[in-house]
Amino acid sequence: MDDLTLVAVVVVALFFDFTNGFHDTANSIATSVSTRALSPRAAVLSAAVLNVVGAFVSLKVAATIASGIVNAEVITLNVVLAGLVGAITWNLVTWYLGLPSSSSHALIGGVIGSAIAASGLDAVKWQGLTDNVLIPSLIAPFAGLFLAATLMVSITWLIRRRSPGIVNRVFRRLQLFSGGFVAFTHGTNDAQKTMGIIALALTAGGHLAPGSDPPLWVIVSAAIAMGAGTYAGGWRIIKTLGTRIAKLDPPQGFAAQTACASILWTTAHFGFPVSTTHAISGSVMGAGASRRLSAVRWGVAGNIVSAWIMTIPCAAAVGALMELVTRLPAGDAIVFGLAAAIAWTAFSARRWQTRRLATAPA
């Protein structure tokens, strides 16, 4: 039964990785698509490939997830499974609503909630959570805003006497590199979170020594799942990030992407599992506000901030509830079935809404 539960945990973890991919596709390509630097299909394909490549660069974020957030000795396979379902549920809810919330915080919140339900508040390494997650994730959007605004001011000074047509053509080409850098660092950061969760499950199941790096098959499968999810696309969130927060031109898009990728590369180096969504959203706001504050739709930005604040507690609540369900007879199977039902409901509702909008009178 333990081996069957472990298989279920791995399957659900890879599905979470897939939802992370399509949920966070917008992070790397929204500005490239909105400024017409790339077609949507080309942007998604390049982002998928670079997400996979980036997943092989470092394992520091995976180590933080596996051992720096919760006490490994109180973690069981049921706790990991319940936490993953909590994360998936919040990911799909915010995806359906078109809100670019943090998949990272959803995952961390789900596992924290299930661990607390299983073993109490002592199951969480509160200092590690604060130092490795909360503080870096709080700093990231403000750092993105400041860095993107500063970079955009410098760019504006450099292009002040250039023809707008030439400037836009040049920066559309530069966005091929800046957008690719975001996709690459997204893989370096986010795919490792699933690797860390699977490593945690393998340790709980007695198949991996505590503190060990994830096996190669875990790295490869997590990278592929992330890339597949990225290719599937998250078009509703792309619209929110690409046009609803601020309408960006190519120089602003380049500044936002460069700022975001720089932050992700730095935090991955230190093993901080920050939110890619936080970094790119702050960067888009900074690039948009660099010329005038009214360019940013602050109401939309406020809705996104609300989603950020709600993510950890909401995912934790679902994770805790799922941990209680695992205690029932055949509880593991019930939780696995609930994960499938939640996914089916979200995708079916999204398909129904798409058809309704397509057939609605103009």
Side-chain angles (χ1 to χ4, degrees):
M1 286 300 297
D2 285 345
D3 287 342
L4 288 176
T5 302
L6 178 59
V7 171
V9 168
V10 172
V11 170
V12 174
L14 292 177
F15 179 69
F16 167 80
D17 206 22
F18 178 85
T19 65
N20 190 355
F22 75 70
H23 193 279
D24 287 1
T25 295
N27 296 335
S28 55
I29 69 173
T31 52
S32 295
V33 172
S34 68
T35 61
R36 300 181 181 178
L38 283 173
S39 68
R41 185 59 59 189
V44 168
L45 180 59
S46 63
V49 172
L50 289 167
N51 262 281
V52 172
V53 174
F56 290 89
V57 172
S58 169
L59 294 175
K60 290 185 178 180
V61 174
T64 299
I65 293 293
S67 60
I69 308 299
V70 292
N71 292 307
E73 60 270 16
V74 303
I75 295 298
T76 65
L77 292 175
N78 287 346
V79 167
V80 179
L81 178 62
L84 283 167
V85 175
I88 289 170
T89 301
W90 185 250
N91 256 8
L92 292 175
V93 168
T94 52
W95 167 74
Y96 176 78
L97 296 175
L99 291 175
S101 67
S102 170
S103 296
S104 307
H105 285 185
L107 179 61
I108 292 168
V111 172
I112 286 174
S114 62
I116 291 175
S119 303
L121 295 174
D122 291 338
V124 180
K125 295 181 178 180
W126 296 105
Q127 191 65 45
L129 176 66
T130 301
D131 294 344
N132 295 325
V133 179
L134 298 182
I135 292 177
S137 291
L138 181 64
I139 293 173
F142 293 102
L145 190 152
F146 175 78
L147 185 57
T150 302
L151 183 58
M152 194 57 220
V153 169
S154 301
I155 290 173
T156 301
W157 184 82
L158 290 173
I159 64 175
R160 66 191 186 283
R161 296 178 181 176
R162 305 286 188 237
S163 166
I166 295 175
V167 168
N168 286 338
R169 283 196 298 272
V170 169
F171 276 93
R172 283 194 181 101
R173 294 190 180 97
L174 290 175
Q175 277 192 273
L176 301 179
F177 299 96
S178 61
F181 192 21
V182 175
F184 177 80
T185 53
H186 176 258
T188 303
N189 198 291
D190 279 41
Q192 289 189 51
K193 294 160 188 172
T194 299
M195 297 178 201
I197 286 295
I198 296 178
L200 192 62
L202 291 173
T203 301
H207 296 276
L208 188 68
S212 300
D213 288 338
L216 179 61
W217 69 266
V218 173
I219 299 172
V220 172
S221 58
I224 292 174
M226 174 72 72
T230 299
Y231 187 73
W235 306 111
R236 291 169 65 82
I237 298 172
I238 287 172
K239 181 179 179 181
T240 298
L241 274 178
T243 60
R244 290 182 62 198
I245 295 177
K247 183 65 175 176
L248 303 183
D249 57 25
Q252 290 173 309
F254 171 80
Q257 290 172 327
T258 302
C260 173
S262 299
I263 291 168
L264 294 180
W265 181 255
T266 302
T267 53
H269 174 75
F270 290 103
F272 296 145
V274 302
S275 168
T276 310
T277 306
H278 290 194
I280 190 61
S281 297
S283 299
V284 169
M285 293 178 198
S290 62
R291 292 179 177 171
R292 64 183 188 279
L293 292 177
S294 61
V296 177
R297 296 180 176 89
W298 297 105
V300 175
N303 292 336
I304 295 172
V305 171
S306 298
W308 292 351
I309 294 172
M310 294 171 60
T311 293
I312 288 182
C314 287
V318 180
L321 177 62
M322 291 300 145
E323 198 281 331
L324 296 176
V325 174
T326 62
R327 303 179 190 180
L328 300 174
D332 296 348
I334 294 173
V335 170
F336 189 80
L338 285 173
I342 291 166
W344 181 85
T345 301
F347 285 111
S348 297
R350 176 70 183 95
R351 190 178 301 113
W352 173 81
Q353 187 181 56
T354 300
R355 290 176 180 173
R356 183 174 63 85
L357 292 175
T359 57

